[in-house]
Amino acid sequence: MSTLENTLFGMGNPLLDISAVVDKDFLDKYGLQPNGVILAEDKHKELFDELVQRNKVEYHAGGSTQNSVKIAQWMLQKPHKVATFFGCIGTDRFGEILKKKADEAHVDAHYYQQNEEPTGTCAACITGDNRSLVANLAAANCYKKEKHLDLDSNWELVEKAKVYYIAGFFLTVSPESIFKVAKHASDNNKIFGLNLSAPFISQFFKEPLMKVMPYVDILFGNETEAATFAKELGFGTDDIAEIAKKTQNLPKENTKRQRIVVFTQGKDDTVATKVTMFPVLDIDQNDIVDTNGAGDAFVGGFLSALVQEHSLEECIRAGHYAANVIIRRVGCTFPEKPDFH
């Protein structure tokens, strides 16, 4: 079984999630959408202080890509260290927490540590079923290709992998690192997965996104992200299945693999090319505790089946299972063992 070690490679923004239940006044005060995802600006500095002072604050190791590889590891259970993770943290308490949590999740994390910036955080402002995310990247934004990815000992881990996954969020940090990994995957007929991550990625980081697209074997996203992507590319449709088809047909470097596009739609069917609809598991609204991390969990479940070379249908089934578990809990957390067959 040890052949699975370091099969999955992820790279992204390691963040410590700070989540708390807030009210509409809090959202309005900082100009937040109930389900928004944004990068922190100067006007949000106080938000973090105010959030920490609230009654019940929870801290969880986060960062989209890191969440997904952790869930993949959890679904697989054994061997440990199926997933490798690269990202940048600070030399501080939050950084130590992230290291400890990655270790507890049995993820082989190799962080680039620097002391210019503190470890990044993400404020999850929860109102009802909604969560508004404000990411203060800080250290995560300091990832340097030449200082970390290019080092022989690190690049060897990249070469060891067969499946690669990077959230679109990392396009704002180190597109050159993404291109290097994506090109390696493509040149060696390995699988490279990318996530649209948030509408702002398609809107404001379209250039690096489209530069990496020819190397993408599996593109993930949700319905909102898919619609924004379609609008930015002038697809002229808001039909999710149609968008998936058009996205699948975008230029592709490695023609040995046809691109797979997987768009989730919350409680509605997941759309995947060759356009098929996969119903999600039913859940009672009252059982939904926190939708933060549902998308990351879906990808994690999907990847756990993918590294075992299962079919697309099986990958999606595993993704639906993981997401269904995660939305019943606060943050991207999970019980000791999965109950998935």
Side-chain angles (χ1 to χ4, degrees):
M1 241 344 231
S2 61
T3 49
L4 272 180
E5 278 175 26
N6 302 107
T7 308
L8 175 61
F9 176 85
M11 180 166 61
N13 300 330
L15 305 174
L16 190 75
D17 285 347
I18 304 173
S19 58
V21 172
V22 301
D23 50 25
K24 193 178 174 308
D25 291 347
F26 184 89
L27 296 183
D28 293 344
K29 178 177 175 184
Y30 293 105
L32 305 178
Q33 295 298 324
N35 247 334
V37 183
I38 60 165
L39 291 176
E41 295 167 48
D42 285 343
K43 64 175 179 187
H44 298 113
K45 286 282 182 276
E46 276 83 66
L47 178 152
F48 287 85
D49 303 333
E50 193 178 330
L51 202 63
V52 172
Q53 269 139 39
R54 291 182 99 79
N55 38 14
K56 273 183 35 197
V57 184
E58 298 209 16
Y59 293 90
H60 296 285
S64 187
T65 307
Q66 186 167 246
N67 281 343
S68 292
V69 299
K70 269 187 196 165
I71 299 264
Q73 177 66 58
W74 169 72
M75 289 284 287
L76 289 159
Q77 293 286 303
K78 290 267 183 316
H80 291 165
K81 301 194 171 180
V82 169
T84 310
F85 178 77
F86 287 4
C88 182
I89 57 175
T91 45
D92 50 20
R93 191 170 68 87
F94 284 177
E96 289 311 308
I97 293 174
L98 286 187
K99 273 188 184 166
K100 185 167 154 290
K101 293 293 181 191
D103 201 41
E104 285 170 7
H106 307 300
V107 166
D108 195 11
H110 293 254
Y111 295 113
Y112 168 51
Q113 269 190 293
Q114 47 72 58
N115 48 24
E116 314 261 298
E117 286 281 344
T119 297
T121 49
C122 179
C125 311
I126 301 164
T127 52
D129 286 346
N130 297 317
R131 50 96 186 112
S132 192
L133 303 178
V134 184
N136 180 26
L137 298 184
N141 207 19
C142 302
Y143 189 83
K144 299 277 181 288
K145 175 176 163 290
E146 57 288 351
K147 293 254 179 77
H148 195 262
L149 185 69
D150 293 345
L151 304 183
D152 290 346
S153 58
N154 289 332
W155 187 251
E156 274 167 24
L157 287 166
V158 175
E159 292 180 321
K160 208 174 157 186
K162 294 190 178 75
V163 175
Y164 302 84
Y165 173 69
I166 299 175
F169 289 125
F170 201 57
L171 285 163
T172 77
V173 173
S174 184
E176 55 286 353
S177 295
I178 301 180
F179 301 143
K180 186 176 181 180
V181 171
K183 197 171 167 354
H184 166 81
S186 183
D187 292 348
N188 294 280
N189 194 28
K190 296 174 179 181
I191 302 173
F192 181 80
L194 184 80
N195 204 312
L196 290 174
S197 291
F200 80 82
I201 299 294
S202 296
Q203 290 167 318
F204 308 115
F205 296 88
K206 186 165 113 186
E207 197 191 345
L209 174 64
M210 293 322 289
K211 196 175 153 189
V212 78
M213 199 54 74
Y215 301 104
V216 178
D217 296 301
I218 306 180
L219 183 71
F220 296 97
N222 66 24
E223 72 278 39
T224 323
E225 293 149 9
T228 305
F229 179 70
K231 199 168 151 206
E232 288 298 322
L233 266 69
F235 282 174
T237 178
D238 47 18
D239 178 274
I240 299 291
E242 199 49 37
I243 294 171
K245 200 93 212 98
K246 285 184 185 277
T247 304
Q248 180 176 37
N249 295 329
L250 290 169
K252 190 157 191 312
E253 201 62 37
N254 175 12
T255 50
K256 292 198 203 75
R257 294 183 187 277
Q258 191 183 22
R259 182 181 294 118
I260 293 171
V261 180
V262 184
F263 291 145
T264 56
Q265 313 188 75
K267 64 182 185 317
D268 296 325
D269 294 3
T270 294
V271 177
T273 51
K274 341 188 174 357
V275 184
T276 327
M277 309 292 258
F278 295 94
V280 299
L281 295 162
D282 276 336
I283 185 167
D284 184 330
Q285 273 310 105
N286 300 326
D287 291 338
I288 300 178
V289 175
D290 178 7
T291 52
N292 185 18
D296 297 338
F298 172 79
V299 174
F302 188 104
L303 295 171
S304 72
L306 188 65
V307 297
Q308 299 177 83
E309 295 174 14
H310 290 177
S311 68
L312 176 62
E313 196 163 350
E314 273 301 294
C315 291
I316 288 173
R317 197 169 73 86
H320 286 166
Y321 169 80
N324 188 275
V325 171
I326 268 60
I327 56 181
R328 298 165 189 271
R329 307 166 67 91
V330 175
C332 199
T333 60
F334 35 85
E336 196 190 337
K337 282 192 167 71
D339 178 21
F340 178 75
H341 310 290

